[in-house]
Amino acid sequence: MNNWTLSRLTGPSDERPEPFSQHSHPDDVSASHHDMLTTVIGSKEDSLASIIHNYKHGFSCFALYIAYLGEKKHDDPTLVTGSHHDMLSSIIGSKEEAKASITYSYKHGFSGFAAMLTEDQAEDLAELPEVISITPNQKHELMTTRSWDFLGLKNEPPSELLQRSNYGEDIIIGIIDTGIWPESKSFHDHGYDAIPSRWKGVCQLGEAWGPSNCSRKIIGARYYAAGLDKANFKKNYMSARDNNGHGTHTASTAAGVVVEGVNLHGLGAGVARGGAPRARLAVYKVGWEEGGAGGSYLATAAVLAALDDAIHDGVDILSLSLGVDENSFGALHAVQNGITVIYAGGNRGPRPQVLYNTAPWVITVAASKIDRSFPTAITLGNKQTLVGQSLYYKLKNNTESRFESLVNGGNCSREALNGTSINGKVVLCIELTFGPIGRIFEDVFAGVIQGGASGLIFAFYTTDVLLSTEDCKGIACVFVDNEIGYQVATYIGSERLPTVKIEPASSITGNQVPAPKVAIFSSRGPSIKYPTVLKPDIAAPGVNILAAKEDAYVFNSGTSMAAPHVAGVVALLKALHPHWSHAALKSAIVTTASTKDEYDTPILAEALPRKVADPFDYGGGNINPIGAADPGLIYDIDPKDYNKFFACQIKKYEICNITTLPAYHLNLPSISIPDLRHPINVRRAVTNVGEVDAVYQSSIESPLGVKMTIEPPVLVFNASKKVHAFKICITPLWKVQGGYTFGSLTWYNEHHTARIPIAVRITIQDFYADRFPAFLLFCVWLLMIRGIYGSRKLYIAYLGEKKYDDPTLVTASHHDMLTSVLGSKEEALASIAYSYKHGFSGFAAMLTEEQADNLAVISVTPNKQHELLTTRSWDFLGLNYQPPNKLLQRSKYGEDVIIGMIDTGIWPESRSFSDHGYGPIPSRWKGVSSIAAGAVVDGVSVHGLATGVARGGAPRARLAVYKVIWNTGNSLQLASAGVLAALDDAIHDGVDILSLSIHADEDSFGALHAVQKGITIVYAGGNDGPRPQVIFNTAPWVITAAASKIDRSFPTTITLGNKQTLVGQSLYYKLNNESKSGFQPLVNGGDCSKGALNGTTINGSIVLCIEITYGPILNFVNTVFENVFSGGASGLIFGLYTTDMLLRTEDCQGIPCVLVDIDIGSQVATYIGSQSMPVAKIEPAHSITGKEVLAPKVAIFSSRGPSTRYPTVLKPDIAAPGVNILAAKEDGYAFNSGTSMAAPHVAGVIALLKALHPDWSHAALKSAIVTSASTKDEYGMPILAEALPRKVADPFDYGGGNINPNGAADPGLIYNIDPMDYNKFFACKIKKHEICNITTLPAYHLNLPSISIPELRHPIKVRRAVTNVGEVDAVYQSAIQSPLGVKIDVEPPTLVFNAAKKVNTFKVSMRPLWKVQGEYTFGSLTWYNEHHTVRIPIAVRITIRDFYADVA
């Protein structure tokens, strides 16, 4: 078999490794490797001269390659290298050239080497049967007091685990990183005994590193500089000394000794120490400063050399806070030699599918936040005190804080600051987009500093980038959320000379700060390389960690900081349980991890928006050292068992034998099933390491949509039975193309709880991937089954040209034909639905399949029901048109309700606006656009996709058009004045409903007056999601709509040259006269930036682009499309974190553009890397609707709450279809997405309700849709929200839920509001920047169908009233779902209605259960009886803001 595995995965040729400068390796036992390479390279003298010349001058045909030969065949390292020489001698030639080219010889833990070779030489080497793989060297990036106390490992008094493990005494932790600063107080060796005799390592001398720099604490030091360009030597210590600080920080975190009085400018003051302060350290420097950016880089070859040496040296644990190839055979050999290997998982979160270092034999670590906060008081000139977060400090000789000028810099882009004087002022910057956090802050800070600002208040969606504020060049940099940013902006707008004072930060620790939380930057699963392995394994502290750097201590954040926390814990466990295997240690920390915080609430994950953490965020949970010391049961693995799985993975791009076992059969302490189609059995075994005689019960939490059973359900252990095997049967409950859902299996008794996480994704990939013909076969199969049971369907019989001019005779012939099949004329007359008698002869009749087969005609075809997306959206909401839904009939399709569309105008000639069959215009109309009220139009599609009937929600409603948006050439613009004029005219004209899919001023008094005149106002909530706090149009008197996805999908088949079939999403089509799809060349374009595509020929090829960062989706899509199209590509496969931008693929200049997730993108990349001439074929898209597509889901672009302007009003109110909506555009029909599409769906429903209940107020209509909304999908699963990563939706995603028109028509109870009551709240807001009288009521006292309490500090009471609009005599019971951390009571708990009592009031009491500066949590209050369920959402945030502000 060809072993050639050069990396085509990395994309264009310009990204391949550059040639490395030769640097002498300290170990001279590689002579045999030199001999081997001599045989490959050729003649001794000429070849040597040539290679040295080329090498010195950077001749680009040479690159560093890594040859892996598997297990070493000799114990003597010299014999291992000798065998390499013999092997290569048969191919290459000169021994001298081999010596010159080799950089590393791997001879301790495994057999292999790294050498400078040409591509041809590497290919020849790969052909040898002894060579398992040849890979080009790759460069990788590093990932970057209180934490140990937070984990329960207190130093004073010492925790029991620290004492029992003797602080990790004599455990040897290897740190593969940027080196170490040996003089740091964290590494002194006072009180240490002699170095353990098992240690075989060395103290390698070098620049600024002498013999005394190794000690009884730092017992070994090596460095690996081969391949580092000599131009970078001056930037580095050519030794194990750390000039970056990263390695010193990680080493001191894992095993630093106790150092008193550590702080950073007074912040984080306390005792610095590692997790295992008595452990020994072995340092392997592989990271070096390179280039002009100041970043640290490392090479795979060096990491492998370090792993090989570490195996030889005798380390117990290896901690690698760096991003290397997770398929590393070096790590596998280390584990098989008894070493525990711990990797950082990466800092590319919160995007899913970006986790790396996910091999099943390593421990992969996520980063979490600890219970420490750095509140910073901001005092405005009006004495209002707000609180942000910073690391701002003042030196002792600095003056006290004082008031300074304050200016609003918008988003602080160059354009925003242009013309604004910021010199000597504090600048407010509000960043409304999202993306890589550090990059955004750096850009903003650079502009502010350049302008001479004296301070920065930065409103952003996270403070996980807090350490960026440490280096603010002497000025105060404070992070706040958007709500506080809006308050500062409001103050600035109200003052002629606004001022502000910023105090230095202070430290707060303890249970006032909710923790742990998964950090926003922490990379998320699932693993794209090992989807059958659940990753990460564990989370550990990684945010604002204070540890050593040179002679001082600094904060740092990253999974780089989390990994050494795990290493420290494992060192303690290894000291306590010296005979435990790597798998046992891993099992102990995973099965005992915490999934709840100190208040017993689920751990949260910082994300976009924040969410409850799941196993793809934190694996088993947050590390719990005390629990891990005594886990009760462990899931152990024979290290050789990994080979059963690794056989497919060691050859990176080889399509392996499918008979190898999937990794979920490994005895891992987790289960991941990425494609559950049929019931499967997974086996596990547990070993008892607790009490000898023990009985464990099982507890199953099945993932949603999955049934799990376990056999046996009880395990009994004794002295003779220490290991028990068991079987888990996992069965899908439905057939659906789903996302991952999560559960767990727990074994427990009175002493121990051992829990493993489970992730399952139900798929119907065969159905998806077998393309459209398979879909038709599926339908035919369904018809066949129905035919067997005699079920009738509508069939169309075509007889060709009619034989009579008289239509009655044609019809009679149809009856006669059917009579001959059915047996009687009466049956024939009853079965026929349509007789085609004018243009041709034929009929449609209800027949069984057998009867249809017996018809002797030209053709018989089953009737097909065609749907278009807008039509589908209404059908999806339950408003079926054929047969007509009951609500449509009762409301007469919204007849004569007048909907005003304030938008870009209308195209009156569209068929959607035909007035055929309408009566006179309603007399109340005094006036002188299609989704809401479009007429019924048959045969609508876009290039054959979504074919069917187009209609609005209220097709008999009238339309009034108010054009306020104008095309300026570059963009669409509107003015508040124009909107107000339209609102004013609409009030005069007599409209019933106004739909505004625009971003207008939500404080608009025009909208308030319209509501007070009886008009229902529906606004789009905006398309700035998934970031929180960006929803607009949130005034309490309007309905604010979020966007959701419906049950329609556009699967697009991608067939690779190896016949592998994958499925993406697109709107790609082929016209009738175009040729069929064919195979075309396929190339990897990396991220398809201009730099990545430079030098890569893409003309006439399909290009794979994978975007591994995140940010505003449209920006990525437009940039990639532009670069690919300009290069002449014939197709695009785009790996992105969402397909909610599907409609962008409609306009792909005639080429197929297919969106895929990162998992499928990686599979395509793997295929490209395995082929010399990769090809692919892309089929046109087709439509799939129904339960196979999980819906609804909140769209990723839909703006999220809470409202920054009205935090006491819960927004959005409702979600409605807004993704890929097909509706009228000029004379045609087009797809569109946005909350602009959702708002008219709501308007259409309101029109039906208004026609059905003409006397209901705006508040009653709003209440009806909110209280009856759906929070679960058709399978009874909670509605999901597309986000980063995907999450279960909450009220800030969708308000009351997804709109349910049929439920809203009969809500039972309504929350009504006198329109004049809004004035009690609006008095504060009518003057936009006026500081209003505080005696006005907060908005949560309005009788809204929701409750939002943004700062619950003390118990409060909220009153509500409900009006009965259902059965006259009715009794309703209350059901309360209290937000986490809050106790809710309702008085009275039962409401009784009758003819004399139509309105009932009640009181909702809310009490915080703890004192904490918390986040929003969610609940609900439901009134229910046998006929109705009336639910309102509740959002509560517990605060101790007084405490925060008073300490600053």
Side-chain angles (χ1 to χ4, degrees), residues 105-158:
S105 175
Y106 312 131
K107 53 195 175 293
H108 299 300
F110 53 92
S111 177
F113 55 87
M116 297 297 298
L117 302 170
T118 67
E119 188 168 336
D120 288 341
Q121 291 166 352
E123 285 180 341
D124 291 341
L125 190 60
E127 293 295 335
L128 295 177
E130 299 93 330
V131 177
I132 293 177
S133 68
I134 298 285
T135 54
N137 179 57
Q138 295 179 5
K139 298 180 183 179
H140 304 277
E141 296 183 4
L142 295 169
M143 299 179 279
T144 292
T145 50
R146 174 66 191 168
S147 57
W148 291 114
D149 286 347
F150 175 66
L151 295 177
L153 293 176
K154 297 185 185 299
N155 188 52
E156 288 295 340

Side-chain angles (χ1 to χ4, degrees), residues 1016 1039 1246 1249-1250 1253 1256-1266:
T1016 296
I1039 298 174
I1246 295 290
L1249 300 181
K1250 195 122 181 165
H1253 304 290
W1256 278 12
S1257 68
H1258 161 72
L1261 294 164
K1262 176 178 178 177
S1263 172
I1265 64 171
V1266 172

Side-chain angles (χ1 to χ4, degrees), residues 896-900 922 924-925 957-960 989-994:
D896 286 348
V897 173
I898 304 172
I899 302 177
R924 70 183 187 279
W925 175 250
R958 314 284 182 142
L959 288 171
D989 294 345
V991 302
D992 300 302
I993 301 161
L994 278 171

Side-chain angles (χ1 to χ4, degrees), residues 256-599:
V257 302
V258 176
V259 181
E260 305 278 354
V262 170
N263 68 82
L264 179 68
H265 309 297
L267 294 174
V271 176
R273 59 189 171 92
R278 297 289 294 174
R280 314 286 184 142
L281 286 168
V283 179
Y284 302 87
K285 180 176 176 178
V286 297
W288 304 87
E289 296 290 333
E290 184 179 68
S296 294
Y297 299 89
L298 55 139
T300 307
V303 175
L304 281 173
L307 285 164
D308 185 46
D309 284 337
I311 293 170
H312 167 269
D313 293 347
V315 302
D316 299 303
I317 299 162
L318 279 171
S319 178
L320 296 92
S321 291
L322 39 90
V324 298
D325 187 351
E326 60 189 359
N327 289 332
S328 167
F329 42 85
L332 176 60
H333 284 288
V335 169
Q336 291 176 336
N337 278 276
I339 300 173
T340 296
V341 181
I342 300 158
Y343 271 107
N347 303 326
R348 291 180 176 173
R351 182 179 164 177
Q353 297 183 315
V354 293
L355 192 72
Y356 46 87
N357 299 325
T358 60
W361 43 87
V362 304
I363 298 175
T364 309
V365 186
S368 61
K369 302 167 76 171
I370 62 173
D371 61 343
R372 179 165 57 194
S373 179
F374 299 97
T376 304
I378 302 166
T379 305
L380 305 179
N382 61 4
K383 308 305 181 189
Q384 182 183 7
T385 301
L386 304 169
V387 178
Q389 292 279 316
S390 80
L391 297 178
Y392 173 51
Y393 62 91
K394 278 186 174 287
L395 300 177
K396 291 181 179 179
N397 57 351
N398 281 20
T399 58
E400 291 186 1
S401 301
R402 57 185 176 81
F403 281 95
E404 298 179 88
S405 297
L406 175 63
V407 63
N408 191 336
N411 68 356
C412 291
S413 63
R414 288 185 178 180
E415 294 76 13
L417 292 178
N418 187 28
T420 302
S421 174
I422 63 173
N423 187 49
K425 300 175 182 178
V426 176
V427 183
L428 170 67
C429 302
I430 300 180
E431 179 53 62
L432 292 177
T433 186
F434 66 96
I437 307 160
R439 191 184 309 162
I440 291 175
F441 178 77
E442 288 170 9
D443 291 344
V444 166
F445 182 68
V448 169
I449 283 292
Q450 189 175 3
S454 62
L456 168 64
I457 300 172
F458 189 32
F460 201 48
Y461 61 83
T462 180
T463 59
D464 281 2
V465 70
L466 189 61
L467 65 93
S468 296
T469 70
E470 183 190 351
D471 184 26
C472 276
K473 305 192 176 186
I475 73 169
C477 301
V478 188
F479 279 100
V480 298
D481 66 11
N482 282 358
E483 182 183 330
I484 292 178
Y486 175 72
Q487 293 181 52
V488 177
T490 300
Y491 162 72
I492 294 172
S494 71
E495 296 289 324
R496 188 171 60 87
L497 294 168
T499 58
V500 69
K501 179 174 66 172
I502 301 175
E503 300 286 355
S506 59
S507 301
I508 291 178
T509 60
N511 58 13
Q512 293 93 348
V513 183
K517 291 179 189 170
V518 179
I520 195 163
F521 56 75
S522 188
S523 290
R524 313 299 163 96
S527 166
I528 59 174
K529 294 195 176 183
Y530 299 92
T532 51
V533 178
L534 197 157
K535 291 285 179 168
D537 295 296
I538 197 73
V543 177
N544 300 326
I545 303 301
L546 189 59
K549 180 179 180 180
E550 296 184 358
D551 296 322
Y553 291 82
V554 298
F555 287 109
N556 218 335
S557 293
T559 54
S560 285
M561 283 66 248
H565 276 88
V566 176
V569 172
V570 171
L572 299 179
L573 300 182
K574 195 129 184 162
L576 189 63
H577 304 289
H579 301 301
W580 278 12
S581 68
H582 162 72
L585 294 164
K586 177 178 177 177
S587 173
I589 65 172
V590 172
T591 60
T592 61
S594 304
T595 60
K596 295 186 177 182
D597 65 16
E598 294 174 280
Y599 291 102

